[in-house]
Amino acid sequence: MRAALAILWICAFVAVPFWIAADHVGWDVAIYHHAIRSLQLHHDPYWDAIAIQDAFHRTLAFHPNATTPFSYVYSPITLPLLRLIGALPVSLTASLYWILYVFCALSLVWVGLQLTQPREHQPFLFIAPAVLFFPGLLQHDAILSGNVAVILYGFVLAAAVLGWRSGKWSWCYLAILLASCFKPPLLSLLAIPLFSARRQLLPTAITAAAGGALLAMQPLVCPSLFHNFLHAIELQFTYNRDFGCSPAGLVSNLLVAHGIPYSPAGTLVYVAYALPLFGLLLYLSREFLAARFTLQQWIPVLLVGVILLNPRIMQYDVLPLTLPMALIGWRSLSRVTSRPVAILIFCAVLAPANLFAVQTLDHWKTAEGTLLVVVFAAGCWDLLHWSPSFRADKIAAQLKRQQIADLKELK
């Protein structure tokens, strides 16, 4: 068993260089590099990227199959870091970045394995090498992009493991605050400590307020940069239609495909499901804190729910969910059938889903968004069956139905 496991991990590591050689690598890193070059020339990196995008789309008829350029869409508060990186030798910063990137990518696999129960640990060691190749259980090359989200999630979730084990959440709050400087929607990750431990409302509120303040002060400190930053985000949706695979994102993609403006419909759809989702997580959190189910049972469902709170879920956002999603699917199936049948059903669902997903990027988003919702629903249903209050309500409902049936017979 150990020999087979070692061979599998070795094959996964050996496959990576061949994958890199056969595919385009670091397209998001190239965007960061272009922003650094603009700063070195004392330019506005947002304006430079916007000018390139406008020029590209004005002449789109002459190169319809060319790759669409992307803008640097992280807020101006990140630009001092880019200036610091630009002052260092390129080879040094590139090496350090990729070393940190690989370390954080592997740490996401490690975090997923911490959520397994003792009897699940060994089987999931065999699944773990596939995580980087199948983000969100669907094949995609997102890991090759070099997107900084992998580093941000690596720090946040590693700090969350520290919080779950020791009850010390300060590092997790700091990691989430720093992550929000790059991606403000990542403030939704504050739901992890809030729904994982008691007495976290005040530090969560303080961190959320600090993240909001960091964003709000930027138009006051650098109004021109912030205006162009917002324009760059607008072009991300207008030109690239990069709405992600969240339910709101899928609706926005559908609207734009039919020539309908994505706003405000996309926002209304997000609010319509985010509020009930938050309420459901709050209820399940109270059940968890009342010891209705274990940490290993709760956290995979919580992580999927927290990511669903993000209005724009990209391929790298579901990378940390691969093992949690597999755990939820495995546990849900194991409750209703035997292990061999559960394996067959699991493969029977994922095989066609992957075949559908690899056809185009739009198919991937549709498949991933559907899979996220289905897996989260299955996880919630599984947890509710552990809840005594849910079982009591279910029994009461059954008794009520029986009473109604008895009354009908008497009549």
Side-chain angles (χ1 to χ4, degrees):
M1 184 70 73
R2 289 183 179 179
L5 184 60
I7 291 171
L8 185 62
W9 276 91
I10 291 170
C11 289
F13 280 110
V14 170
V16 171
F18 290 97
W19 192 24
I20 290 173
D23 205 340
H24 180 54
V25 178
W27 53 90
D28 283 328
V29 175
I31 297 171
Y32 311 153
H33 177 70
H34 293 154
I36 291 171
R37 289 291 301 150
S38 291
L39 290 172
Q40 289 175 333
L41 297 171
H42 306 289
H43 291 180
D44 178 339
Y46 305 111
W47 180 254
D48 284 355
I50 290 168
I52 291 172
Q53 282 189 306
D54 284 339
F56 176 87
H57 286 277
R58 280 198 305 269
T59 60
L60 185 60
F62 299 104
H63 42 73
N65 298 319
T67 302
T68 303
F70 285 76
S71 298
Y72 183 80
V73 288
Y74 305 142
S75 62
I77 199 172
T78 63
L79 297 184
L81 176 61
L82 292 191
R83 288 192 178 93
L84 175 61
I85 293 172
L88 299 173
V90 175
S91 57
L92 175 63
T93 55
S95 299
L96 291 176
Y97 183 85
W98 284 109
I99 290 171
L100 180 62
Y101 186 86
V102 171
F103 174 80
C104 289
L106 293 176
S107 76
L108 293 176
V109 180
W110 172 79
V111 169
L113 290 173
Q114 305 312 299
L115 308 180
T116 58
Q117 296 172 333
R119 59 188 175 83
E120 298 167 334
H121 190 69
Q122 190 172 52
F124 273 81
L125 280 173
F126 284 89
I127 299 175
V131 167
L132 303 181
F133 302 91
F134 292 86
L137 300 179
L138 296 180
Q139 200 285 320
H140 199 276
D141 59 356
I143 191 67
L144 299 183
S145 70
N147 193 282
V148 72
V150 172
I151 296 174
L152 302 178
Y153 279 114
F155 281 122
V156 169
L157 294 182
V161 172
L162 178 63
W164 294 323
R165 289 183 174 179
S166 67
K168 298 177 180 178
W169 289 98
S170 54
W171 287 109
C172 187
Y173 286 118
L174 178 60
I176 294 172
L177 183 61
L178 292 176
S180 72
C181 293
F182 289 87
K183 299 172 181 283
L186 291 188
L187 283 173
S188 62
L189 297 178
L190 288 169
I192 295 175
L194 179 64
F195 293 145
S196 294
R198 300 183 187 277
R199 296 187 295 275
Q200 298 302 314
L201 181 58
L202 181 59
T204 296
I206 291 173
T207 307
L214 286 175
L215 185 65
M217 74 176 192
Q218 294 178 66
L220 303 176
V221 176
C222 45
S224 178
L225 279 173
F226 194 80
H227 175 269
N228 290 335
F229 158 66
L230 294 180
H231 188 37
I233 292 177
E234 181 185 354
L235 292 186
Q236 187 87 346
F237 298 124
T238 304
Y239 284 156
N240 302 326
R241 300 179 181 179
D242 208 3
F243 298 99
C245 60
S246 70
L250 293 178
V251 170
S252 297
N253 278 317
L254 185 63
L255 291 174
V256 170
H258 288 82
I260 304 171
Y262 65 87
S263 182
T267 303
L268 294 175
V269 169
Y270 174 72
V271 172
Y273 72 79
L275 292 178
L277 173 59
F278 188 88
L280 177 58
L281 290 175
L282 177 60
Y283 170 77
L284 291 174
S285 171
R286 290 180 175 177
E287 293 293 290
F288 161 68
L289 294 174
R292 310 298 191 200
F293 31 81
T294 67
L295 182 73
Q296 284 80 7
Q297 290 173 313
W298 167 229
I299 296 304
V301 180
L302 173 62
L303 290 180
V304 177
V306 168
I307 295 300
L308 280 171
L309 286 174
N310 188 335
R312 181 174 176 261
I313 304 173
M314 300 300 291
Q315 293 86 334
Y316 37 76
D317 291 307
V318 297
L319 180 61
L321 298 182
T322 308
L323 281 177
M325 290 174 69
L327 278 167
I328 293 170
W330 173 253
R331 290 167 183 173
S332 299
L333 291 172
S334 297
R335 284 188 71 257
V336 297
T337 187
S338 63
R339 177 177 290 188
V341 175
I343 294 173
L344 289 175
I345 295 174
F346 200 78
C347 295
V349 171
L350 289 185
N354 273 277
L355 288 174
F356 176 77
V358 298
Q359 296 178 44
T360 66
L361 181 57
D362 286 339
H363 285 92
W364 192 95
K365 292 175 182 176
T366 303
E368 186 59 49
T370 304
L371 199 58
L372 280 171
V373 173
V374 170
V375 168
F376 178 71
C380 290
W381 183 254
D382 195 43
L383 288 180
L384 287 169
H385 277 77
W386 290 93
S387 168
S389 59
F390 175 79
R391 290 201 297 270
D393 291 343
K394 191 174 181 181
I395 292 170
Q398 289 174 343
L399 289 173
K400 188 174 182 179
R401 286 196 297 270
Q402 185 62 46
Q403 290 171 350
I404 292 172
D406 291 343
L407 286 172
K408 287 182 178 178
E409 287 184 6
L410 288 173
K411 291 178 179 179

